[in-house]
Amino acid sequence: MTYRLGVDVGGTFTDVLLVEEASGATWRAKTASTPADQAVGVLTGIGKVCAEAGIELSEVAQVLHGTTVATNAILEGKGATVGLVTTKGFRQVLQIARSFVPGGLAGWIIWPKPEPLAALENTVEVDERIASDGAVIRALDEDDVRAQLGKLSGIQALAVSLINSFADPAHEQRIREIAAELHPGIPVSLSSDVLPELREYERTVTTVANGYVQPQVKRYVETLSAKLAEGGVTGELAILRSDGGLSSAAAAATSPVTMLLSGPAGGVTGAVWIAEQCGYSDLITFDMGGTSTDVALVQGLSPRIGRETKVGDLTVRASSVDVRTVGAGGGSIAHVPELTRALRVGPQSAGADPGPAAYGKGGTEPTVTDANVVLGYLPATLAGGEIALDVAASRDAVDLVAKAMGLGSPEQAAAGIVDIVNENMLGGLRLVSVQQGFDPRDFALVAFGGAGPLHANALGKLTGAWPVIVPPSPGVLCALGDATTSKRSESARTVLRRFADLTGGELATILRELATDAGARLAEQGVAAADQTVTYQVDVRYHGQGFEIPIIVPGLDGDPLAALAADFDTEHERLFSFLLTTDHELVNARATVSGPRPEVAAVTLPPSEGPPTPIDTHPIHVSGTTVEANIYDRATLRAGDVITGPAIVTEMDSTTLVLPDHAATVHPSGSLLINPISEA
């Protein structure tokens, strides 16, 4: 039997999911994350889940890992000291950056600009110049390079970003050779490797970001690999990329900027796998945790991929799943400002310590979790009985809001808290649907994360997205995504040609060259050429525009330019509601090569033998009234079971609420499909 391990490291918990490929059987474990050394928590979780499954660690064929090491290095400002090499005259490229206007009153306020990841004193200029067409205007002065590199002391990584190096990388490659002589052992990131595209600022900041996180990621990957080997795990370690694909551990250590959104991408990938089992191809993902909620849109089982990745104040050019984050989670704190006396929820969070008042760890501020406890939506115990909730503490905390607003009971305040956090999350869902020209009623809503299934039915009502799909083990779905995706590699090139000056054959030649390059890198990671699948994408704009739109290339046979122009016009009109008669212009071309998707069998539940039996009943407060809700143990449900609301479905890592006038049907794959009763 072949076992795959999906591992997702979060701020509070490390989730581990063990999958047996032939049967689809799964085992799960949650263990406390260890921020000082994430490898400790990962190994603890792996040991725990393997013991539960009764297998040796040596039987694990692959460890597929979504990690926040690179993300945390940027958010916490704990990356490497980076030296930057630029072309003479471009030393302040990071300081000049792009114009940023933070709101309508920006002209009247002083807005602090984040410090660049490479300080000005660690930035040097070298004498060279390449034209945008690749012609050498001024040859590289190697003596000057040695003199400038000699000025850099105390650096832990080096980034090289020369003007127009996307057209000819020779000068950057020579600087890397010289740097290896003067600064042995220092990792060097070249912009022509990291982002071979035009726009010197985006290329430079992305290259510097790669260097900033590279030593920490390399150290973590090497440490984890060594500890896995010591523990008896002989299988391959792969790291999840921001675009939902996998990289070998070595490739991830070389190009860590591609894994800045590794964690959220795993959730989207897992949601796609779950929706496919249920027969849905268009979906909106809704991942609600303790601090924030991540949402994304998927069409035809393909997540929308953005060309920018944003972490904190930093924005880099790297392909990533288009995930939007809202500061709303189970730990979001409700408060009533003295000035407005209007209830607000979040973005401040109680975190894991002390956490919500219900957890009994000393928390006293009212949170969304406390509101759910007061309304009866959360039973007295969580995580299979491992966590007992302090109902009295939750009522005392929420009562602070009730008194501040002059409400008659904690239940009224709790209902307001839940309504507001739901509206906050609706705003995030609208960012990826309505504001992108999509009607959410055309999509299913896949809810996961520890708190997602509790609010999913309400979000379905607000968006009209049906069914609401609650996967099995929703709290560890990110780990499932890690375990059910494939390896991926990407190559890109700036072309910058008007369609009138380009032929379909020339475009096809460029794309095939990129595919060959990406395929070779994937072959180095163990994916044979016969097992590789290629997709093509180009960035197109109207000539004279300052931005472009990524368009999928349907095929290379014939003349693809006419189809690309038509697809671009359709997308442009959907996004902006107008078209131009100006000629189309190709800016960048990309080829993405993927390995085979793992053959993980879907679980099939036995058919229902009669109406499901509740394990208990519990009063809940809905729409200002109190009703009795049946409580069900999800482990006892069978395919075809129908749970009519009001009802609560409990499991080890999450709780699902089914509202009145709605029903949840158990799909054979184990997911709950919630619909209004009129549509069920």
Side-chain angles (χ1 to χ4, degrees):
M1 291 185 287
T2 302
Y3 294 92
R4 295 165 62 88
L5 260 171
V7 181
D8 181 70
V9 178
T12 305
F13 291 106
T14 294
D15 299 327
V16 181
L17 190 75
L18 179 68
V19 181
E20 199 280 296
E21 291 189 2
S23 66
T26 61
W27 297 264
R28 58 191 171 178
K30 290 181 83 75
T31 185
S33 295
T34 50
D37 184 358
Q38 288 188 5
V40 174
V42 170
L43 290 167
T44 301
I46 290 176
K48 185 176 178 181
V49 77
C50 287
E52 182 181 336
I55 68 168
E56 299 295 327
L57 271 66
S58 58
E59 297 181 63
V60 176
Q62 288 182 305
V63 177
L64 312 168
H65 185 13
T67 178
T68 56
V69 171
T71 310
N72 292 344
I74 290 175
L75 292 176
E76 298 171 7
K78 296 180 179 178
T81 300
V82 183
L84 172 62
V85 180
T86 67
T87 300
K88 183 174 290 187
F90 289 84
R91 182 167 177 254
Q92 294 180 322
V93 60
L94 294 182
Q95 285 71 28
I96 296 172
R98 294 289 182 195
S99 297
F100 173 57
V101 182
L105 298 178
W108 303 96
I109 63 176
I110 298 175
W111 192 270
K113 188 161 58 174
E115 287 297 319
L117 297 181
L120 190 59
E121 58 267 25
N122 289 328
T123 303
V124 296
E125 301 174 318
V126 295
D127 190 13
E128 69 85 42
R129 188 62 184 255
I130 291 176
S132 60
D133 61 359
V136 177
I137 296 177
R138 193 161 61 249
L140 181 68
D141 186 337
E142 296 191 5
D143 291 335
D144 180 56
V145 171
R146 286 185 163 83
Q148 297 301 324
L149 290 178
K151 297 178 182 179
L152 298 175
S153 61
I155 62 171
Q156 298 166 309
L158 183 67
V160 183
S161 181
L162 305 180
I163 189 69
N164 294 327
S165 61
F166 63 87
D168 184 353
H171 287 181
E172 287 194 349
Q173 292 169 351
R174 180 56 186 148
I175 291 174
R176 176 168 55 190
E177 295 171 355
I178 297 173
E181 302 171 9
L182 301 179
H183 298 280
I186 296 294
V188 181
S189 298
L190 304 185
S191 72
S192 51
D193 291 338
V194 175
L195 185 69
E197 299 178 4
L198 56 71
R199 294 193 174 96
E200 68 273 12
Y201 170 69
E202 283 77 9
R203 184 158 42 84
T204 303
V205 73
T206 303
T207 306
V208 170
N210 193 79
Y212 185 76
V213 300
Q214 188 174 10
Q216 194 162 334
V217 170
K218 184 174 185 291
R219 186 164 53 249
Y220 172 72
V221 168
E222 291 176 347
T223 300
L224 180 58
S225 297
K227 290 184 176 180
L228 286 172
E230 291 172 9
V233 178
T234 58
E236 177 193 18
L237 172 64
I239 308 297
L240 192 72
R241 295 159 46 107
S242 299
D243 62 4
L246 288 169
S247 285
S248 67
T254 301
S255 186
V257 76
T258 62
M259 47 181 279
L260 290 178
L261 290 184
S262 176
V268 177
T269 303
V272 169
W273 193 85
I274 288 294
E276 185 177 13
Q277 310 309 313
C278 296
Y280 294 91
S281 58
D282 297 333
L283 55 137
I284 300 173
T285 68
F286 168 58
D287 177 8
M288 182 179 180
T291 303
S292 62
T293 296
D294 297 324
V295 298
L297 186 136
V298 176
Q299 272 189 309
L301 297 176
S302 297
R304 290 180 64 82
I305 303 297
R307 290 293 296 134
E308 289 188 340
T309 300
K310 185 171 183 178
V311 177
D313 294 322
L314 178 71
T315 300
V316 300
R317 290 277 286 183
S319 295
S320 64
V321 175
D322 187 16
V323 174
R324 307 299 176 91
T325 300
V326 181
S332 295
I333 296 171
H335 58 286
V336 182
E338 196 69 34
L339 180 63
T340 63
R341 313 301 297 173
L343 176 63
R344 297 177 62 87
V345 181
Q348 298 83 7
S349 174
D353 186 14
Y359 289 1
K361 294 183 179 180
T364 58
E365 295 184 285
T367 66
V368 173
T369 295
D370 294 311
N372 282 315
V373 171
V374 170
L375 293 173
Y377 300 164
L378 280 174
T381 58
L382 297 176
E386 294 183 13
I387 301 176
L389 299 181
D390 190 336
V391 178
S394 288
R395 291 186 65 85
D396 290 342
V398 175
D399 196 42
L400 297 175
V401 172
K403 290 177 179 177
M405 299 188 68
L407 300 175
S409 68
E411 285 77 13
Q412 287 179 297
I417 292 171
V418 169
D419 286 344
I420 288 176
V421 79
N422 286 343
E423 289 291 338
N424 290 345
M425 292 184 292
L426 174 64
L429 293 171
R430 289 177 61 87
L431 286 175
V432 299
S433 57
V434 176
Q435 292 192 21
Q436 297 291 326
F438 298 103
D439 188 338
R441 293 173 295 184
D442 297 332
F443 295 79
L445 182 66
V446 181
F448 53 100
L454 200 60
H455 294 257
N457 199 159
L459 266 297
K461 290 178 63 177
L462 291 172
T463 60
W466 302 111
V468 171
I469 303 174
V470 180
S473 303
V476 296
L477 188 72
C478 290
L480 175 66
D482 299 341
T484 55
T485 189
S486 58
K487 286 186 178 177
R488 188 174 301 169
S489 182
E490 180 181 279
S491 287
R493 182 188 304 174
T494 290
V495 180
L496 206 59
R497 301 264 296 276
R498 294 194 199 187
F499 278 23
D501 301 327
L502 184 68
T503 67
E506 289 174 323
L507 175 59
T509 299
I510 292 170
L511 291 173
R512 289 192 178 100
E513 290 174 355
L514 293 173
T516 300
D517 181 58
R521 288 201 301 271
L522 208 58
E524 293 174 358
Q525 300 179 39
V527 181
D531 296 328
Q532 296 177 2
T533 302
V534 185
T535 58
Y536 302 106
Q537 188 183 66
V538 293
D539 296 335
V540 182
R541 65 187 181 188
Y542 291 121
H543 180 65
Q545 279 185 326
F547 64 93
E548 53 272 356
I549 299 174
I551 302 295
I552 299 294
V553 181
L556 302 185
D557 295 331
D559 186 356
L561 293 178
L564 286 175
D567 290 346
F568 171 82
D569 287 343
T570 300
E571 186 71 359
H572 195 282
E573 187 169 28
R574 184 184 65 78
L575 289 170
F576 308 112
S577 301
F578 72 92
L579 299 175
L580 297 177
T581 57
T582 311
D583 191 14
H584 299 82
E585 185 173 46
L586 179 66
V587 181
N588 300 309
R590 278 182 300 279
T592 302
V593 182
S594 302
R597 195 167 158 190
E599 296 292 335
V600 177
V603 173
T604 301
L605 296 181
S608 174
E609 297 179 352
T613 303
I615 59 174
D616 202 355
T617 61
H618 187 67
I620 66 173
H621 300 268
V622 183
S623 302
T625 61
T626 302
V627 296
E628 284 292 320
N630 289 325
I631 300 179
Y632 297 87
D633 180 359
R634 188 162 185 177
T636 66
L637 300 180
R638 298 292 178 261
D641 282 345
V642 177
I643 298 170
T644 303
I648 297 171
V649 182
T650 65
E651 55 189 308
M652 187 277 286
D653 57 350
S654 191
T655 301
T656 302
L657 173 66
V658 183
L659 294 173
D661 301 321
H662 293 76
T665 303
V666 182
H667 190 270
S669 65
S671 292
L672 299 177
L673 308 185
I674 303 175
N675 280 292
I677 287 179
S678 60
E679 300 179 20

